[in-house]
Amino acid sequence: MSRNLLILGAAPDLNELRDTLVRLEDTIIFALIERSQFKHNKGIYDAGKMKFKDGHQGSFLSWFLKEVECVHAKVRRYQSPDEYPFTGNLPDPVLPPLNYPPVLVDPAKININDEIFNVYVNTVVPEITEKGDDTNYGSSATRDIECLQALSRRIHYGKFVAESKFQDPEHHAEYVRLIREQNSQRLMQLLTNSRVEEKLLKRLKAKAMIYGQDLSSATLDADGCTINGASALLADASTTAAEERVKTRVDYDLVVSLYRDYVIPLTKEVEVEYLLHRLDSNQK
């Protein structure tokens, strides 16, 4: 069983963080698969398309997101240091607060959910869904919110990654120097591990190929195990032959490009911004 990294009272090491980030990959892939079963339903993203009795002027998704976050705020979701709301002016919790040990030094209260929202609505949704309108507005928006929350949590975990790297004795002095210089370009270079990123993308592609399979037509033996289809894919999910054989419910290349072009860069954006403010409170 994995440890709760939020109650450690100290920055978790990178191996512990990677375990959490790997599990979030699963959450994001399955959330995308669930959203892809509905058509684009573009109208739920257009401001003014629907009328609201409470006078809301935005889109159906923005209205629904606010309603959901109001409920979640009441049960103290956003008191957790790894959760960030997309909307503001949320109600106070009805539950007593939890005392999380201070791990992050985040005087700027970094939150890039506006960027995440725009990327998701304008780039991700049109790519993973079929064009058209199937009137499943509530179901589509529900899945959208699940995707947004998972992406936000994954990307803002960059703060914990940055803190862990900052505390690494091997590089701590260099991080302090670069922060004092406000050298964001050099910080980005120091944070980047291309080998880890390449490994992540390969793992993500294999997962998306496997998780996204439709096994309804697979041949099963007496024990319910696949005789063809999935078993072959599991054996060589990363090979070209496997890619040619399998048709998945969500395009695995789109999942990879989502991470390569948005999740990884936005995570590193959070890491750099966090470090630029890391010494604002004169804490070393």
Side-chain angles (χ1 to χ4, degrees):
M1 181 179 294
S2 61
R3 294 194 293 170
N4 185 343
L5 303 185
L6 304 181
I7 63 174
L8 294 179
D13 64 41
L14 288 178
N15 288 328
E16 290 176 316
L17 286 168
R18 285 180 183 130
D19 287 344
T20 298
L21 299 181
V22 166
R23 291 195 301 272
L24 281 171
E25 293 169 9
D26 301 344
T27 301
I28 290 169
I29 291 171
F30 283 119
L32 293 172
I33 289 171
E34 288 298 311
R35 177 57 183 95
S36 68
Q37 68 181 304
F38 304 108
K39 291 189 176 180
H40 186 182
N41 295 323
K42 184 177 181 298
I44 68 176
Y45 309 110
D46 295 337
K49 187 76 172 182
M50 301 181 187
K51 304 300 180 184
F52 302 91
K53 292 182 179 179
D54 60 6
H56 179 75
Q57 299 298 311
S59 66
F60 174 74
L61 177 60
S62 66
W63 173 85
F64 192 22
L65 184 57
K66 174 73 175 200
E67 294 294 309
V68 168
E69 291 197 334
C70 281
V71 173
H72 289 183
K74 291 179 180 179
V75 293
R76 64 190 178 201
R77 175 171 188 160
Y78 303 110
Q79 290 191 348
S80 176
D82 64 338
E83 296 282 2
Y84 296 85
F86 286 82
T87 61
N89 299 316
L90 296 173
D92 294 329
V94 298
L95 297 174
L98 295 175
N99 295 318
Y100 291 98
V103 174
L104 300 177
V105 181
D106 186 23
K109 306 298 182 187
I110 298 160
N111 183 332
I112 65 165
N113 276 342
D114 286 346
E115 288 185 67
I116 296 170
F117 186 91
N118 288 333
V119 167
Y120 177 77
V121 169
N122 297 317
T123 303
V124 177
V125 175
E127 292 290 341
I128 65 172
T129 58
E130 180 183 345
K131 290 181 179 179
D133 189 316
D134 58 16
T135 73
N136 285 304
Y137 305 142
S139 297
S140 297
T142 298
R143 301 310 182 196
D144 284 331
I145 292 172
E146 291 171 354
C147 289
L148 286 167
Q149 290 172 334
L151 288 167
S152 174
R153 188 163 179 256
R154 167 61 177 81
I155 289 167
H156 285 101
Y157 245 94
K159 296 183 185 183
F160 292 93
V161 174
E163 181 64 28
S164 179
K165 292 181 178 179
F166 176 80
Q167 296 289 354
D168 181 358
E170 183 179 351
H171 299 290
H172 179 73
E174 186 173 7
Y175 275 115
V176 170
R177 178 179 62 82
L178 294 173
I179 292 168
R180 287 176 173 161
E181 295 174 357
Q182 293 290 282
N183 190 335
S184 58
Q185 182 176 0
R186 183 68 185 95
L187 281 170
M188 180 68 78
Q189 293 172 351
L190 188 58
L191 287 164
T192 298
N193 188 327
S194 299
R195 182 182 61 80
V196 170
E197 292 178 10
E198 182 180 354
K199 183 178 179 181
L200 181 158
L201 294 175
K202 289 181 178 178
R203 179 179 66 244
L204 200 70
K205 184 170 186 175
K207 283 184 176 182
M209 291 174 68
I210 294 167
Y211 297 166
Q213 293 176 89
D214 181 2
L215 300 180
S216 59
S217 59
T219 303
L220 304 179
D221 63 19
D223 296 320
C225 298
T226 56
I227 296 173
N228 56 34
S231 57
L233 182 60
L234 285 166
D236 56 355
S238 62
T239 66
T240 302
E243 294 175 28
E244 291 174 350
R245 286 198 303 272
V246 66
K247 178 177 176 59
T248 57
R249 291 171 291 175
V250 64
D251 189 331
Y252 40 82
D253 285 328
L254 288 177
V255 176
V256 172
S257 65
L258 167 64
Y259 259 73
R260 183 188 62 238
D261 299 336
Y262 299 106
V263 173
I264 292 174
L266 288 174
T267 301
K268 292 198 289 189
E269 177 184 325
V270 167
E271 292 179 31
V272 170
E273 190 65 19
Y274 174 84
L275 288 173
L276 288 173
H277 294 280
R278 177 60 178 77
L279 301 180
D280 287 0
S281 300
N282 295 319
Q283 300 190 45
K284 304 297 190 291

